[in-house]
Amino acid sequence: MSTADATLGDLTRRQLHDLCRVVGMDRTDPLRLLGEVLGAARDRPLAQPPLWPSDVADDATPIEFSVQVDDGGGRHLRILAETLPAAPGPAANLRAARDLVTALAGRYDLALDRLRAVEDLFSPAEPQGRFSWWFSFIFDADGRPRFKVYFNPDVHGADHASKVVQEAFARLGLDGAHRTVVDCALRREADRLTFFALDLDDSPQSRVKLYVSQHDARIDDVERAASAVPGIDRYQVGDFCRTLAPGVERFPGRPLVSSYSFVEGDREKPSNYSIYLPLRDYVPDDSVARERVRQHLRDHRIDPAMLDEIIGALTDRDLAARSGLLAHVSLRLSPDQTGTTIYASSEAYSGTAAEN
């Protein structure tokens, strides 16, 4: 097949195959799930425009890859994706997402009780916002997947997002969680609810997550956000930001994002905080992004050679040509462990230069 005939499925399958090699895991489930979640976009030629302007990636590619690395060295590969029908649109995309849950539930024995408790809140007849449901597949060392669904708090309109999230927390027995997030991360007019997410398994560590975009934030704003989690060093958040964006004290481009994880036994206080830094907006190009991420990995005693393996699995382009390949980097903080996740774009539709 010539390059001109290549499809989105062809490219992302090759990239995922190589990422599985980097992580050192079986490819069977990852490749199968990739094909399923791409839906009608899978066989669309890359020479044509994207089927739908997905917000998963800057260039409308409906998929993003990431590799999570614990400070102890453990690695997990993840896929974030929006599934698309042949005739996409807000309501049709929502139906396709719900159909995918049904298709996967029996095969993987998904735990759907919590999803069923809140799905009506995130499934209006006329969805608003940039998406309705997204999916994350997280693969262990053997390639076995765990599943997460992301809901859009703005699906009834931005003015209703806080009420929707508060009701979702209440239905899941987390009545005090909303107040904690408001006090620590929704203190400014520029702070916005972004994702409400659920793990679809029934382990004690199965998470309810809430993400907040903190537009035009300063480092002390995200350090304050991290203070919601007992037993962590919130000042690691500032160190993280200064390593990846040295000299930046206010982030006026794409926003910093704070997230909270609530697991079994949590009611008001989360067990985990993560900070997501949109690196592509705060570097001149990906060669600089690479060097900064390598420094962060060294600071956490993680072999930085892994980063070059990830990059090589996705592209051979000149990193100095533009930014965007290394889209986000996140730092996860809990009382007993920290970890880093590197989010990398497929750049199926040529990527997008950072808007500095």
Side-chain angles (χ1 to χ4, degrees):
M1 177 180 294
S2 69
T3 303
D5 295 327
T7 66
L8 179 62
D10 295 331
L11 173 65
T12 55
R13 182 181 177 86
R14 177 187 62 74
Q15 291 172 323
L16 181 58
H17 180 280
D18 291 346
L19 284 170
C20 289
R21 174 184 49 77
V22 168
V23 176
M25 69 183 198
D26 184 81
R27 305 175 178 91
T28 304
D29 269 327
L31 292 174
R32 179 178 183 181
L33 285 166
L34 172 69
E36 290 182 272
V37 76
L38 284 175
R42 180 187 59 196
D43 297 324
R44 188 171 182 83
L46 291 173
Q48 297 180 11
L51 181 62
W52 174 257
S54 178
D55 202 44
V56 169
D58 296 339
D59 62 356
T61 303
I63 191 165
E64 179 185 65
F65 301 112
S66 59
V67 176
Q68 175 184 308
V69 189
D70 298 328
D71 283 2
R75 301 181 184 183
H76 298 274
L77 176 61
R78 308 198 300 181
I79 299 172
L80 174 67
E82 180 174 22
T83 193
L84 298 173
N93 295 357
L94 175 57
R95 286 193 298 272
R98 298 179 76 173
D99 289 345
L100 182 62
V101 170
T102 299
L104 297 177
R107 188 196 317 161
Y108 292 100
D109 193 27
L110 302 186
L112 300 182
D113 289 353
R114 293 187 303 183
L115 183 147
R116 298 306 184 209
V118 302
E119 68 176 326
D120 65 295
L121 294 173
F122 299 100
S123 304
E126 298 182 3
Q128 299 182 47
R130 294 177 294 181
F131 78 102
S132 294
W133 294 16
W134 286 351
F135 295 94
S136 177
F137 307 139
I138 307 102
F139 302 96
D140 66 16
D142 295 319
R144 292 185 297 259
R146 291 184 293 114
F147 299 84
K148 181 166 69 174
V149 61
Y150 292 79
F151 301 116
N152 185 357
D154 289 348
V155 74
H156 294 274
D159 291 345
H160 298 279
S162 183
K163 182 178 179 180
V164 168
V165 166
Q166 188 171 7
E167 174 63 19
F169 272 137
R171 292 188 188 184
L172 298 173
L174 295 165
D175 302 78
H178 185 261
R179 174 47 53 190
T180 297
V181 176
V182 168
D183 289 345
C184 294
L186 287 168
R187 301 167 54 246
R188 307 172 309 130
E189 290 186 6
D191 298 327
R192 299 283 185 270
L193 294 165
T194 306
F195 308 115
F196 187 90
L198 297 174
D199 286 344
L200 302 183
D201 62 76
D202 59 3
S203 74
Q205 294 304 307
S206 182
R207 300 163 298 175
V208 177
K209 294 193 70 174
L210 183 64
Y211 299 72
V212 178
S213 293
Q214 300 191 267
H215 296 265
D216 207 30
R218 295 182 180 275
I219 288 176
D220 58 356
D221 293 316
V222 286
E223 288 177 341
R224 169 65 182 263
S227 70
V229 180
I232 68 171
D233 177 6
R234 65 176 178 169
Y235 297 108
Q236 288 190 57
V237 173
D239 294 340
F240 170 77
C241 292
R242 293 184 185 98
T243 298
L244 293 178
V248 179
E249 290 295 326
R250 183 177 62 85
F251 291 79
R254 292 180 180 88
L256 299 173
V257 176
S258 292
S259 80
Y260 300 99
S261 295
F262 298 84
V263 299
E264 185 177 295
D266 294 336
R267 289 296 178 265
E268 298 180 1
K269 298 290 186 179
S271 294
N272 166 282
Y273 170 83
S274 293
I275 174 73
Y276 303 78
L277 194 152
L279 187 58
R280 63 214 191 271
D281 264 26
Y282 301 99
V283 293
D285 56 61
D286 278 310
S287 68
V288 175
R290 171 183 174 271
E291 290 309 310
R292 293 182 184 175
V293 176
R294 285 174 62 87
Q295 183 59 54
H296 167 77
L297 295 175
R298 284 192 291 266
D299 290 346
H300 287 258
R301 299 180 181 179
I302 299 169
D303 184 356
M306 177 203 66
L307 177 63
D308 290 331
E309 294 176 356
I310 294 170
I311 292 171
L314 297 176
T315 188
D316 60 1
R317 75 161 172 85
D318 179 6
L319 297 182
R322 61 178 184 272
S323 65
L325 176 69
L326 299 175
H328 277 85
V329 182
S330 73
L331 177 69
R332 185 181 71 260
L333 299 172
S334 61
D336 58 352
Q337 191 177 52
T338 63
T340 296
T341 303
I342 300 164
Y343 298 81
S345 173
S346 168
E347 296 194 323
Y349 297 102
S350 298
T352 301
E355 300 170 0
N356 290 322

XYZ file of all heavy atoms in Angstrom, residues 19 22-24 65-78 138-141 146 207 236 240 272 274-276 293-294 296-311 326 328-334 336-344:
526
model
N 4.776 0.953 19.934
C 4.694 1.345 21.339
C 4.586 0.122 22.249
O 5.154 0.111 23.349
C 3.505 2.276 21.560
C 3.678 3.712 21.083
C 2.337 4.441 21.133
C 4.720 4.457 21.919
N 7.980 -1.008 22.831
C 8.686 -0.146 23.774
C 8.342 -0.527 25.208
O 9.217 -0.613 26.080
C 8.345 1.337 23.508
C 8.835 2.225 24.652
C 8.923 1.789 22.175
N 7.059 -0.745 25.460
C 6.616 -1.074 26.812
C 6.918 -2.525 27.146
O 7.029 -2.893 28.312
C 5.112 -0.748 26.956
C 4.584 -1.155 28.314
C 4.884 0.745 26.731
N 7.039 -3.374 26.115
C 7.350 -4.782 26.325
C 6.149 -5.609 26.679
O 6.182 -6.404 27.635
N -1.887 8.677 22.246
C -1.175 7.642 22.986
C -0.491 8.246 24.206
O -0.114 9.420 24.208
C -0.120 6.969 22.103
C -0.665 6.315 20.871
C -0.376 6.813 19.605
C -1.472 5.196 20.967
C -0.875 6.205 18.467
C -1.982 4.574 19.831
C -1.685 5.085 18.577
N -0.308 7.443 25.233
C 0.482 7.881 26.381
C 1.131 6.685 27.042
O 0.640 5.549 26.949
C -0.383 8.656 27.380
O -1.459 7.881 27.860
N 2.250 6.963 27.707
C 2.970 5.946 28.461
C 3.126 6.463 29.884
O 3.657 7.555 30.111
C 4.350 5.638 27.847
C 5.111 4.640 28.726
C 4.191 5.083 26.427
N 2.635 5.669 30.830
C 2.727 5.994 32.252
C 3.913 5.248 32.842
O 4.081 4.044 32.627
C 1.445 5.577 32.955
C 1.453 5.743 34.459
C 0.177 5.207 35.073
O -0.924 5.565 34.671
N 0.327 4.314 36.045
N 4.732 5.980 33.598
C 5.915 5.390 34.209
C 5.901 5.711 35.696
O 5.854 6.877 36.091
C 7.215 5.942 33.593
C 8.408 5.146 34.112
C 7.163 5.905 32.084
N 5.909 4.674 36.535
C 6.030 4.883 37.971
C 7.489 5.177 38.309
O 8.406 4.760 37.589
C 5.574 3.635 38.729
C 4.111 3.311 38.479
O 3.327 4.258 38.283
O 3.764 2.113 38.473
N 7.696 5.871 39.409
C 9.066 6.167 39.803
C 9.869 4.895 40.062
O 11.103 4.907 40.006
C 9.081 7.074 41.033
C 8.773 8.524 40.658
O 8.520 8.785 39.470
O 8.775 9.381 41.554
N 9.186 3.791 40.309
C 9.863 2.512 40.463
C 10.225 1.851 39.153
O 10.881 0.808 39.137
N 9.762 2.431 38.023
C 10.131 1.909 36.714
C 9.028 1.184 35.973
O 9.182 0.878 34.787
N 7.911 0.854 36.637
C 6.816 0.166 35.954
C 6.209 1.013 34.862
O 6.070 2.232 35.003
N 5.845 0.371 33.737
C 5.299 1.092 32.587
C 3.911 0.575 32.237
O 3.635 -0.615 32.333
C 6.200 0.922 31.362
C 7.617 1.401 31.530
C 8.405 1.192 30.239
N 9.801 1.563 30.383
C 10.687 1.521 29.389
N 10.315 1.106 28.191
N 11.942 1.890 29.595
N 3.058 1.511 31.796
C 1.734 1.163 31.288
C 1.477 1.984 30.031
O 1.776 3.176 29.997
C 0.641 1.452 32.325
C 0.781 0.664 33.582
N 0.270 -0.611 33.727
C 1.393 0.956 34.752
C 0.549 -1.054 34.937
N 1.241 -0.131 35.575
N 0.930 1.332 29.039
C 0.563 2.003 27.796
C -0.922 2.332 27.833
O -1.735 1.530 28.297
C 0.874 1.092 26.606
C 0.465 1.585 25.219
C 1.176 2.881 24.860
C 0.757 0.504 24.175
N -1.266 3.526 27.320
C -2.662 3.945 27.344
C -3.062 4.514 25.989
O -2.243 5.069 25.257
C -2.881 4.992 28.440
C -2.358 4.528 29.792
C -2.909 5.310 30.948
N -2.599 6.736 30.877
C -2.975 7.611 31.818
N -3.676 7.206 32.857
N -2.648 8.883 31.719
N -6.188 1.276 29.384
C -4.904 1.231 30.093
C -4.448 -0.216 30.131
O -5.148 -1.076 30.679
C -5.031 1.791 31.518
C -5.661 3.191 31.511
C -3.666 1.832 32.198
C -7.116 3.204 31.913
N -3.276 -0.487 29.571
C -2.803 -1.864 29.423
C -1.690 -2.167 30.414
O -0.762 -1.368 30.589
C -2.298 -2.092 27.995
C -3.341 -1.835 26.943
C -3.408 -0.612 26.300
C -4.278 -2.801 26.631
C -4.372 -0.366 25.339
C -5.255 -2.562 25.672
C -5.301 -1.339 25.021
N -1.803 -3.337 31.050
C -0.754 -3.751 31.974
C 0.397 -4.396 31.207
O 0.406 -4.421 29.957
C -1.309 -4.670 33.062
C -1.810 -6.014 32.532
O -1.482 -6.397 31.376
O -2.534 -6.703 33.274
N 1.359 -4.936 31.924
C 2.562 -5.479 31.291
C 2.266 -6.652 30.370
O 3.057 -6.951 29.465
C 3.572 -5.896 32.356
N -7.589 -2.244 31.082
C -8.603 -1.681 31.975
C -9.221 -0.503 31.249
O -8.600 0.097 30.367
C -7.978 -1.236 33.307
C -7.511 -2.403 34.173
C -6.997 -1.922 35.531
N -5.774 -1.151 35.405
C -5.659 0.139 35.676
N -6.725 0.840 36.077
N -4.503 0.764 35.553
N -11.447 4.148 40.208
C -11.478 5.576 40.490
C -12.717 6.277 39.937
O -13.222 5.940 38.871
C -10.250 6.247 39.870
C -8.920 5.737 40.372
C -7.796 6.131 39.438
N -7.970 5.554 38.110
C -7.193 5.803 37.064
N -6.174 6.642 37.190
N -7.427 5.232 35.885
N 5.916 19.717 45.026
C 6.424 18.978 43.869
C 5.766 19.462 42.580
O 6.354 19.355 41.500
C 6.177 17.481 44.048
C 7.051 16.810 45.076
C 6.929 15.307 45.016
O 7.162 14.695 43.974
N 6.560 14.694 46.125
N 7.772 20.554 39.224
C 7.422 19.950 37.939
C 7.211 21.038 36.882
O 7.758 20.970 35.766
C 6.161 19.112 38.136
C 5.503 18.603 36.894
C 6.029 17.526 36.209
C 4.328 19.175 36.423
C 5.406 17.026 35.072
C 3.699 18.688 35.295
C 4.242 17.619 34.614
N -5.600 10.955 45.348
C -4.569 11.191 44.335
C -4.813 12.541 43.679
O -5.956 12.946 43.475
C -4.629 10.064 43.298
C -3.856 10.337 42.022
O -4.316 11.076 41.161
N -2.703 9.732 41.893
N -3.239 14.825 40.236
C -2.349 14.873 39.079
C -2.396 16.259 38.467
O -3.450 16.893 38.389
C -2.755 13.844 38.018
O -2.566 12.525 38.473
N -1.235 16.723 38.014
C -1.120 17.975 37.280
C -0.719 17.639 35.847
O 0.172 16.822 35.619
C -0.082 18.925 37.923
C 0.157 20.171 37.078
C 1.239 18.222 38.174
C -0.951 21.156 37.104
N -1.420 18.237 34.880
C -1.166 18.019 33.453
C -0.685 19.334 32.859
O -1.389 20.351 32.929
C -2.428 17.563 32.727
C -3.053 16.316 33.303
C -3.813 16.378 34.468
C -2.890 15.081 32.681
C -4.381 15.236 35.009
C -3.465 13.934 33.220
C -4.209 14.023 34.385
O -4.770 12.886 34.926
N 11.680 17.093 29.104
C 11.093 15.861 29.640
C 12.202 14.923 30.111
O 12.084 14.271 31.160
C 10.184 15.178 28.602
C 9.658 13.847 29.149
C 9.015 16.081 28.235
N 13.281 14.840 29.370
C 14.407 14.015 29.802
C 14.922 14.473 31.163
O 15.251 13.638 32.016
C 15.530 14.052 28.754
C 15.250 13.215 27.508
C 16.345 13.408 26.448
N 17.645 12.980 26.941
C 18.108 11.730 26.871
N 17.359 10.776 26.335
N 19.306 11.437 27.319
N 13.193 16.003 33.516
C 12.207 15.584 34.526
C 12.364 14.102 34.851
O 12.329 13.709 36.029
C 10.792 15.867 34.022
C 9.737 15.192 34.835
N 9.340 15.658 36.079
C 9.018 14.059 34.607
C 8.414 14.862 36.570
N 8.196 13.880 35.702
N 12.535 13.273 33.831
C 12.693 11.840 34.075
C 13.946 11.560 34.902
O 13.918 10.747 35.831
C 12.742 11.090 32.743
C 11.458 11.129 31.906
C 11.680 10.454 30.555
C 10.294 10.481 32.636
N 15.036 12.233 34.582
C 16.261 12.040 35.375
C 16.039 12.449 36.827
O 16.504 11.784 37.752
C 17.407 12.840 34.762
C 17.998 12.232 33.497
C 19.304 12.909 33.119
N 19.086 14.278 32.671
C 18.943 14.633 31.391
N 18.990 13.715 30.432
N 18.766 15.894 31.068
N 15.319 13.553 37.031
C 15.048 14.013 38.393
C 14.295 12.963 39.197
O 14.411 12.906 40.433
C 14.238 15.305 38.369
C 15.040 16.497 37.867
O 16.281 16.386 37.794
O 14.424 17.527 37.532
N 13.491 12.134 38.495
C 12.702 11.102 39.169
C 13.322 9.716 39.020
O 12.648 8.699 39.241
C 11.261 11.123 38.640
C 10.478 12.296 39.140
N 9.556 12.190 40.158
C 10.509 13.611 38.794
C 9.047 13.388 40.404
N 9.600 14.265 39.591
N 14.594 9.697 38.625
C 15.358 8.449 38.530
C 14.722 7.459 37.563
O 14.710 6.244 37.798
C 15.548 7.819 39.917
C 16.315 8.732 40.874
C 16.495 8.095 42.233
N 17.216 9.008 43.136
C 17.496 8.733 44.400
N 17.129 7.564 44.918
N 18.136 9.605 45.145
N 14.198 8.003 36.474
C 13.641 7.195 35.389
C 14.580 7.326 34.198
O 15.006 8.435 33.858
C 12.225 7.680 35.000
C 11.271 7.554 36.195
C 11.687 6.895 33.815
C 9.943 8.249 35.987
N 14.911 6.213 33.564
C 15.829 6.220 32.433
C 15.232 7.060 31.296
O 14.201 6.696 30.729
C 16.069 4.790 31.955
C 17.102 4.700 30.840
O 17.586 5.755 30.381
O 17.411 3.570 30.405
N 15.865 8.167 30.920
C 15.297 9.015 29.870
C 15.363 8.403 28.482
O 14.737 8.918 27.556
C 16.150 10.289 29.955
C 17.445 9.847 30.545
C 17.089 8.740 31.506
N 16.100 7.302 28.313
C 16.147 6.646 27.008
C 14.761 6.185 26.575
O 14.482 6.078 25.371
C 17.110 5.463 27.047
N 13.899 5.921 27.553
C 12.543 5.504 27.234
C 11.825 6.533 26.369
O 11.056 6.195 25.469
C 11.757 5.276 28.520
C 10.298 4.893 28.304
S 9.273 5.278 29.739
C 9.358 7.064 29.753
N 12.080 7.822 26.631
C 11.414 8.876 25.873
C 11.764 8.793 24.397
O 10.887 8.936 23.532
C 11.805 10.245 26.437
C 11.242 11.451 25.681
C 9.716 11.460 25.748
C 11.819 12.746 26.243
N 13.011 8.558 24.086
C 13.402 8.451 22.686
C 12.784 7.226 22.021
O 12.476 7.245 20.821
C 14.921 8.406 22.562
C 15.558 9.752 22.901
O 14.899 10.787 22.701
O 16.695 9.754 23.387
N 12.573 6.181 22.787
C 11.899 5.003 22.244
C 10.444 5.331 21.909
O 9.916 4.895 20.873
C 11.970 3.852 23.240
C 13.376 3.323 23.477
C 13.403 2.249 24.554
O 12.342 1.978 25.154
O 14.481 1.684 24.796
N 9.793 6.088 22.754
C 8.406 6.498 22.492
C 8.340 7.363 21.244
O 7.508 7.143 20.349
C 7.829 7.254 23.703
C 7.713 6.327 24.911
C 6.477 7.867 23.367
C 7.382 7.052 26.202
N 9.220 8.345 21.163
C 9.234 9.227 19.994
C 9.484 8.429 18.725
O 8.800 8.605 17.706
C 10.299 10.325 20.187
C 9.880 11.275 21.312
C 10.514 11.091 18.884
C 10.971 12.257 21.723
N 4.932 15.972 21.582
C 4.864 15.783 23.032
C 3.839 16.779 23.563
O 4.149 17.928 23.875
C 6.240 15.987 23.661
C 7.306 15.009 23.169
C 8.665 15.351 23.756
C 6.928 13.572 23.493
N 1.290 16.663 26.207
C 1.159 16.891 27.642
C 2.179 16.033 28.384
O 2.595 14.983 27.899
C -0.230 16.458 28.156
C -1.315 17.456 27.972
N -2.035 17.573 26.802
C -1.841 18.373 28.833
C -2.940 18.520 26.949
N -2.848 19.023 28.160
N 2.500 16.455 29.575
C 3.180 15.607 30.548
C 2.430 15.782 31.854
O 2.006 16.893 32.201
C 4.656 15.992 30.729
C 5.336 15.040 31.726
C 5.394 15.971 29.398
N 2.224 14.673 32.577
C 1.532 14.779 33.864
C 2.390 14.185 34.972
O 3.209 13.287 34.736
C 0.171 14.087 33.826
O 0.301 12.685 33.823
N 2.172 14.719 36.166
C 2.794 14.202 37.383
C 1.683 13.753 38.312
O 0.776 14.535 38.626
C 3.640 15.279 38.058
C 4.285 14.888 39.391
C 5.377 13.836 39.168
C 4.865 16.122 40.092
N 1.743 12.499 38.737
C 0.730 11.926 39.632
C 1.309 11.821 41.037
O 2.399 11.272 41.234
C 0.318 10.536 39.140
C -0.810 9.900 39.925
C -1.137 8.513 39.394
N -0.098 7.533 39.689
C 0.825 7.126 38.841
N 0.887 7.626 37.629
N 1.715 6.213 39.204
N 0.575 12.354 42.001
C 1.027 12.363 43.382
C 0.015 11.676 44.279
O -1.176 12.003 44.260
C 1.210 13.810 43.873
C 2.230 14.668 43.129
C 2.148 16.108 43.606
C 3.639 14.115 43.325
N 0.496 10.714 45.060
C -0.301 10.086 46.109
C 0.625 9.916 47.312
O 1.843 10.067 47.187
C -0.870 8.737 45.660
O 0.166 7.831 45.331
N 1.892 7.477 48.792
C 2.904 6.415 48.773
C 3.613 6.241 47.439
O 4.483 5.379 47.309
C 2.268 5.083 49.181
C 1.113 4.680 48.275
O 0.696 5.499 47.427
O 0.624 3.543 48.417
N 3.266 7.048 46.432
C 3.879 6.824 45.128
C 3.712 8.060 44.243
O 2.748 8.818 44.384
C 3.237 5.622 44.424
C 3.979 5.156 43.187
C 3.342 3.911 42.575
O 2.143 3.886 42.319
N 4.139 2.877 42.356
N 4.679 8.271 43.343
C 4.528 9.277 42.302
C 4.742 8.606 40.959
O 5.336 7.520 40.870
C 5.534 10.431 42.472
O 6.856 9.909 42.329
C 5.385 11.097 43.818
N 4.283 9.262 39.912
C 4.451 8.724 38.574
C 4.326 9.815 37.535
O 3.781 10.892 37.799
N 4.822 9.526 36.361
C 4.814 10.465 35.241
C 4.125 9.816 34.057
O 4.307 8.619 33.805
C 6.255 10.841 34.841
O 6.873 11.533 35.926
C 6.282 11.711 33.595
N 3.339 10.596 33.328
C 2.754 10.118 32.079
C 3.109 11.076 30.963
O 2.975 12.298 31.110
C 1.226 9.981 32.181
O 0.902 9.094 33.258
C 0.651 9.404 30.887
N 3.564 10.516 29.860
C 3.935 11.284 28.666
C 2.865 11.054 27.611
O 2.613 9.913 27.207
C 5.310 10.840 28.146
C 6.376 11.060 29.222
C 5.667 11.569 26.856
C 7.660 10.302 28.949
N 2.226 12.125 27.179
C 1.141 12.063 26.194
C 1.694 12.511 24.847
O 2.216 13.626 24.716
C -0.012 12.974 26.609
C -0.646 12.576 27.921
C -0.059 12.939 29.132
C -1.815 11.825 27.953
C -0.629 12.557 30.344
C -2.392 11.446 29.163
C -1.784 11.822 30.350
O -2.340 11.454 31.551
N 1.552 11.650 23.853
C 2.150 11.917 22.551
C 1.114 11.816 21.447
O 0.302 10.889 21.415
C 3.291 10.940 22.285
